[in-house]
Amino acid sequence: MDLDAFSYLLTPAGQALLGSLRDYDPVRELAEATRLRREHPAELVSAALGQARLRQRAEAKFGADAYRMYFTPDGVEQATRTEVAEYRAECFKALGVRRLADLCCGIGGDAIALARAGVAVLAVDRDPLTCAVARANAESLGLADLIEVRCADVTEIATAGYDAVFVDPARRGGRSGGASRSESVRGGGRATGGRIFDPEAYSPSLSWAIKAARQVPVAALKVAPGIPHEAVPDDAGAEWISYRGDVKEAVLWFGKNPGSVSATLLPSAGTLWTGAPLPDPPAGPVGRYLYEPDGAVIRAHLVAEVAEQVGGRLIDETIAYITADELRPTPFATAYEITDVLPFGLKKLKALLRQRGVGVAVIKKRGSAIEPEDLRKKLKLEGPHSVTVFLTRVAGAPSMLLGRPVNEP
């Protein structure tokens, strides 16, 4: 879809056609397109069908709003989930922000949340189509009086007079520069799917974004969750955010808790933070309970803080599983009751699960080269019972831990 096709979509004819496609079945798209082209121009039909598909995909992130909004393919994939954007907007509001420059605004997901929180937003993007989409979203949601969309290079925007800036630089090879937007205790990871994990390869670069952040009272820079901790400036606070256990992003805050490290679990589990991270906890034997810290906790290097909460220890110096002899629930880790601790062995595991009538196994791994799906196929499970199997290391040795979440009967 180009800018002309999108503009066509905003006409009364385009709106009527798009409204009629809310519940269409993508499996029948060819037949639907053939039917519609008898009554509408082919360009309009293609644009409407494409937008209908994108709206269906976007519902997971934007809920019912998705069917009043407009998207680009990159915009759906890269836009901030509504719950995360709303949380960040409330943080800005609590810091007294009333006027904010949203640099690399994309299709406007963050700008929408900010405007709904009462913040006036200058939303900037360099791509004309993306700007048109962001502007249409602001108008469709009744927020045009609070969101000004400007098509420009973000590096040329003067932010003097704004209370804050939010920068979401491009972190994928397919995005145009400045245009739109490990399993160990210490985390880690590498680039996949076109993602760029070198902060200086962001567009604009992290160093430029940091310079821009220091020119206003408050700033937030969205970065990849795998950012090295040593890349975080001393005058910034670093926050890792997960949604329902899935790590979504990291944010560098300026003007808010400088030097702090935090993990925020959404939708409502709260924030774990520290100004001085604890040293790694010691390793020891596996106890009755195993705690699996949330991914944001691991990325934030706050496993030791969770271990202190539950009175636990690591099962291995390099593995982010905590064990304890007593149960102390925490929102920052999932607790399991462990029934078996065994050296790894496929035959032994198959025999044990067959003996116990296990038909469903949730297989988790940390510090193991074995792929859960491959193992599940080899187990050939049958039976009415379920179990959680952890493939990991205990005191350096490949091991299997069997158990179940403590909230299960």
Side-chain angles (χ1 to χ4, degrees):
M1 181 177 63
D2 59 20
L3 186 55
D4 288 340
F6 180 69
S7 299
Y8 202 170
L9 200 59
L10 298 180
T11 65
Q15 292 293 286
L17 179 56
L18 184 56
S20 72
L21 291 172
R22 170 166 179 159
D23 298 319
Y24 101 105
D25 183 357
V27 175
R28 301 188 66 255
E29 181 168 319
L30 181 58
E32 190 77 4
T34 300
R35 180 184 67 82
L36 292 173
R37 283 170 181 160
R38 298 190 187 108
E39 305 173 2
H40 303 279
E43 181 184 25
L44 180 58
V45 171
S46 296
L49 286 171
Q51 199 59 222
R53 286 195 306 272
L54 292 173
R55 284 181 166 182
Q56 289 181 355
R57 285 173 52 194
E59 186 178 9
K61 282 188 176 182
F62 292 93
D65 278 346
Y67 293 96
R68 294 194 290 160
M69 295 175 64
Y70 303 89
F71 302 94
T72 64
D74 284 348
V76 171
E77 183 175 351
Q78 298 164 16
T80 304
R81 175 178 286 273
T82 293
E83 293 86 349
V84 178
E86 289 175 345
Y87 161 76
R88 182 164 38 245
E90 289 302 319
C91 289
F92 275 118
K93 183 178 179 180
L95 291 167
V97 172
R98 294 296 176 265
R99 297 183 69 235
L100 177 145
D102 180 1
L103 307 181
C104 308
C105 67
I107 55 95
D110 281 281
I112 289 166
L114 287 159
R116 284 176 168 169
V119 178
V121 182
L122 170 64
V124 184
D125 199 286
R126 195 173 63 189
D127 178 63
L129 175 60
T130 301
C131 286
V133 170
R135 190 174 293 110
N137 285 335
E139 293 173 355
S140 177
L141 296 175
L143 299 169
D145 58 334
L146 284 171
I147 300 175
E148 174 194 348
V149 179
R150 186 179 303 175
C151 192
D153 189 317
V154 299
T155 63
E156 298 175 358
I157 296 297
T159 56
Y162 287 90
D163 302 324
V165 298
F166 172 62
V167 186
D168 180 9
R171 296 180 303 281
R172 291 176 183 267
R175 288 173 63 180
S176 54
S180 47
R181 320 261 218 221
S182 130
E183 297 175 324
S184 69
V185 175
R186 287 308 186 192
R190 49 183 171 174
T192 59
R195 293 182 178 87
I196 298 171
F197 284 176
D198 176 5
E200 286 308 299
Y202 295 172
S203 182
S205 68
L206 180 59
S207 58
W208 178 89
I210 290 171
K211 182 178 179 181
R214 289 171 174 159
Q215 295 174 356
V216 292
V218 177
L221 314 181
K222 185 174 173 180
V223 295
I227 185 173
H229 279 234
E230 55 269 23
V232 178
D234 293 339
D235 56 339
E239 178 182 34
W240 280 259
I241 301 173
S242 69
Y243 179 77
R244 300 194 185 281
D246 185 14
V247 181
K248 294 300 180 182
E249 61 186 55
V251 180
L252 305 185
W253 284 95
F254 292 78
K256 176 188 177 186
N257 298 327
S260 68
V261 177
S262 60
T264 296
L265 281 53
L266 298 176
S268 59
T271 297
L272 175 68
W273 78 281
T274 181
L278 297 174
D280 289 345
V286 178
R288 181 177 178 182
Y289 297 99
L290 184 78
Y291 295 87
E292 181 183 28
D294 184 271
V297 170
I298 296 174
R299 291 288 193 179
H301 297 180
L302 295 176
V303 173
E305 281 68 16
V306 174
E308 184 177 61
Q309 284 186 357
V310 303
R313 55 194 176 270
L314 298 178
I315 64 170
D316 183 278
E317 292 181 351
T318 63
I319 301 296
Y321 283 138
I322 301 166
T323 187
D325 303 310
E326 298 180 1
L327 180 62
R328 298 184 189 176
T330 172
F332 300 104
T334 302
Y336 298 83
E337 185 173 11
I338 298 301
T339 58
D340 301 87
V341 181
L342 306 165
F344 178 78
L346 178 58
K347 290 183 179 179
K348 184 182 300 183
L349 181 61
K350 288 178 66 174
L352 184 59
L353 298 186
R354 187 181 304 113
Q355 176 187 350
R356 296 180 180 177
V358 172
V360 177
V362 177
I363 302 174
K364 295 175 172 286
K365 73 164 198 167
R366 183 161 291 158
S368 172
I370 298 170
E371 292 300 327
E373 285 305 314
D374 293 341
L375 177 61
R376 184 177 288 106
K377 292 176 183 177
K378 294 176 181 178
L379 291 176
K380 300 178 180 179
L381 300 172
E382 293 182 5
H385 303 299
S386 62
V387 70
T388 300
V389 179
F390 296 90
L391 307 176
T392 187
R393 294 194 302 272
V394 175
S399 303
M400 306 180 297
L401 280 59
L402 277 62
R404 63 182 181 183
V406 295
N407 59 350
E408 287 188 0

